[in-house]
Amino acid sequence: MVASAVYVLDLKGKIIISRNYRGDIPISAVDVFARAIMDEEETIVRPCFNSGGVNYVFIKHNNVYLLALTKRNSNAVMLISFLYSIVGILKEYFREVDEESIRDNFVVVYELLDEVADFGHPQVTDVRILQEYITTESHKVAAVPKPPPAVTGAVSWRSEGIKYRKNEVFLDVVESVNLLVSSNGTPIRSEILGSLQMRSYLSGMPELKLGLNDKVLFEATGRNAGKGKAVDMEDVKFHQCVRLARFENDRTISFIPPDGSFELMSYRLSTQVRPLIWIEAVVEPYQNSRIEYLIKARSQFKPRSTAHNVKICIPVPADADTPKFKSTVGNAVYAPEKDCIIWTIRQFPGQRELLLRAHFGLPSVTQGNVRPKAPISVSFDIPYFTVSGIQVRYLKIMEKSGYAALPWVRYITKNGDYQIRVASQ
């Protein structure tokens, strides 16, 4: 990916700040973009287009445009990602990125544009590294700060000389379940989105090795997964610190972690997921004068696990009033602004069934079916549990000083877009 130049423009397409990295595209090329946004409606102008042999890639943030130009066949998505990275950096410095903040801090913006790319190639986009030697007061300081080793070294995401009295690393395996189930219990859409969130508080330049119950690894080595099952992960994405060549070779996740919090990797599994919490709603209307609900909530995970902060939203008619509730566990309230019952359960153990009865009056006389067509939505957190069965087999920490470090691993499953349709009959 190469960007010949990056421009920050106002809403009329006039240049506020520019940085020409390669000098192969004249500044007059910006006039083509200005005419495009002035002549056409904003929604019509595509974020990537070609004119006169020049590729234009832009994003809009508040009242400014960020425009990248290149004559090469560069990856457009990477260019857009690069522009959004610049916006993220500027946000850390100015909180709000708009025309006024750009003009008030143009010296810092120029310094940042100089550092984020070298001859058009992205170089340093980690704001924590940039903040070590580019500050908002840097133009007032006579002495030029020395760039940290992270800028010139191979490990751009971590600085040298980091020290902690207690060396620890925390790894959270978080999975979100996206599920749409028909009223008869048949899954219509089902997928698992997972991520490995890490918080690193380690001294020096440690090397970490992480092993998962990866199906590809077990098949390649001819090993057995043991008591657990192997997981076939799709769409795996890694943080830039992971050595991809090592992973492709022996499926070992080896890396030098950034300091603090970061997402190590994300993955997706397209698999049929049994509903972790199944909701059955029996709706009984009485000649359009009142309506009663019998809600059955059943947890379908193992008894040793417990769901926390369960919230079940059951849709009701828009004109329902005078609610009455009776539940075995939890608290139910009527949310008229959402036209639904919100049933909150603090703790929901596995293999349990809970009941809720609700009664509403219907003051208006309506024709036909009064049953709401919106699905039931469920939110929850299940700690110490992963629906995919993914497991951390080992997490090794190696550092040349040989200090002892404590790795902590935690699992949690939560809802994503989790909906259950209500029977229409």
Side-chain angles (χ1 to χ4, degrees):
M1 187 221 92
V2 176
S4 294
V6 172
Y7 296 89
V8 181
L9 314 169
D10 63 15
L11 293 179
K12 294 182 179 179
K14 295 182 179 179
I15 299 174
I16 303 174
I17 283 182
S18 66
R19 180 65 175 91
N20 196 330
Y21 294 108
R22 303 176 69 88
D24 57 346
I25 298 178
I27 195 171
S28 58
V30 179
D31 297 338
V32 176
F33 175 76
R35 287 195 298 270
I37 61 173
M38 294 298 293
D39 295 344
E40 301 285 352
E41 293 184 14
E42 183 180 326
T43 55
I44 297 178
V45 182
R46 292 173 296 177
C48 312
F49 65 91
N50 181 281
S51 179
V54 177
N55 295 312
Y56 295 75
V57 179
F58 75 94
I59 63 172
K60 181 183 178 184
H61 185 82
N62 291 335
N63 59 351
V64 294
Y65 290 101
L66 273 77
L67 172 68
L69 305 182
T70 179
K71 283 189 174 181
R72 300 197 178 191
N73 187 21
S74 296
N75 188 317
V77 175
M78 291 186 68
L79 279 171
I80 291 174
S81 178
F82 176 59
L83 294 178
Y84 275 114
S85 297
I86 294 175
V87 172
I89 292 169
L90 297 179
K91 277 185 178 180
E92 291 293 327
Y93 276 85
F94 316 135
R95 294 187 181 178
E96 288 294 330
V97 180
D98 52 26
E99 182 178 350
E100 182 180 0
S101 65
I102 295 293
R103 293 186 185 278
D104 289 345
N105 300 279
F106 70 93
V107 173
V108 180
V109 177
Y110 272 121
E111 290 185 24
L112 290 170
L113 291 177
D114 280 340
E115 296 299 331
V116 295
D118 182 15
F119 200 55
H121 298 275
Q123 182 177 239
V124 181
T125 56
D126 192 325
V127 70
R128 289 178 296 184
I129 301 299
L130 292 168
Q131 284 176 335
E132 291 187 19
Y133 66 105
I134 296 180
T135 67
T136 51
E137 296 82 21
S138 60
H139 58 284
K140 299 178 182 178
V141 181
V144 178
K146 182 181 178 182
V151 174
T152 55
V155 186
S156 63
W157 54 87
R158 185 180 180 90
S159 300
E160 293 182 353
I162 298 174
K163 291 183 180 180
Y164 287 99
R165 295 182 63 183
K166 187 177 183 181
N167 293 285
E168 294 179 304
V169 60
F170 300 87
L171 178 63
D172 289 344
V173 182
V174 182
E175 290 190 340
S176 300
V177 181
N178 291 337
L179 191 66
L180 177 61
V181 186
S182 66
S183 57
N184 61 4
T186 304
I188 299 173
R189 178 175 60 89
S190 172
E191 69 174 358
I192 302 169
L193 301 179
S195 67
L196 272 62
Q197 306 285 343
M198 183 167 279
R199 287 174 293 150
S200 171
Y201 307 108
L202 300 172
S203 305
M205 280 284 182
E207 172 102 11
L208 274 66
K209 291 184 179 179
L210 174 67
L212 304 172
N213 55 335
D214 185 3
K215 184 177 181 180
V216 176
L217 170 64
F218 289 128
E219 289 178 350
T221 58
R223 287 186 290 172
N224 194 306
K227 295 181 180 179
K229 67 175 182 179
V231 177
D232 189 9
M233 296 180 290
E234 305 172 19
D235 295 341
V236 180
K237 298 178 183 177
F238 290 109
H239 188 273
Q240 62 173 330
C241 66
V242 176
R243 293 186 174 90
L244 297 180
R246 179 74 182 274
F247 179 77
E248 292 292 338
N249 184 40
D250 59 8
R251 307 296 285 189
T252 299
I253 303 174
S254 176
F255 58 99
I256 296 175
D259 187 47
S261 302
F262 66 100
E263 183 181 79
L264 177 63
M265 66 173 284
S266 62
Y267 59 90
R268 180 178 63 87
L269 283 84
S270 297
T271 181
Q272 290 292 337
V273 179
R274 185 187 183 193
L276 298 174
I277 297 179
W278 172 247
I279 309 297
E280 182 180 346
V282 179
V283 186
E284 296 183 2
Y286 292 90
Q287 297 181 352
N288 294 340
S289 61
R290 60 190 175 92
I291 188 169
E292 292 184 356
Y293 289 80
L294 175 60
I295 310 298
K296 296 180 182 179
R298 185 169 64 251
S299 55
Q300 301 188 140
F301 45 88
K302 294 180 180 180
R304 65 178 180 224
S305 298
T306 301
H308 294 259
N309 304 318
V310 179
K311 184 182 292 185
I312 305 168
C313 296
I314 306 104
V316 298
D319 58 348
D321 64 2
T322 60
K324 297 178 183 178
F325 304 109
K326 184 178 180 181
S327 61
T328 54
V329 174
N331 181 47
V333 296
Y334 173 48
E337 71 279 4
K338 298 180 180 178
D339 294 328
C340 71
I341 305 166
I342 299 179
W343 185 12
T344 305
I345 305 166
R346 184 174 295 178
Q347 292 188 335
F348 196 169
Q351 300 299 314
R352 290 279 302 276
E353 184 173 285
L354 305 177
L355 298 177
L356 169 68
R357 293 183 183 273
H359 176 280
F360 288 90
L362 295 175
S364 60
V365 179
T366 58
Q367 295 273 336
N369 197 347
V370 298
R371 304 168 191 264
K373 296 182 180 180
I376 296 172
S377 61
V378 186
S379 62
F380 56 85
D381 294 325
I382 309 177
Y384 316 112
F385 174 81
T386 56
V387 66
S388 69
I390 192 170
Q391 292 180 350
V392 176
R393 294 168 47 236
Y394 60 83
L395 178 56
K396 299 178 181 178
I397 304 169
M398 295 161 287
E399 214 276 335
K400 59 184 180 181
S401 64
Y403 59 72
L406 297 174
W408 304 90
V409 180
R410 182 174 61 173
Y411 302 90
I412 186 168
T413 294
K414 60 182 183 179
N415 66 287
D417 185 11
Y418 193 104
Q419 297 181 334
I420 300 172
R421 290 181 176 174
V422 183
S424 58
Q425 64 272 12

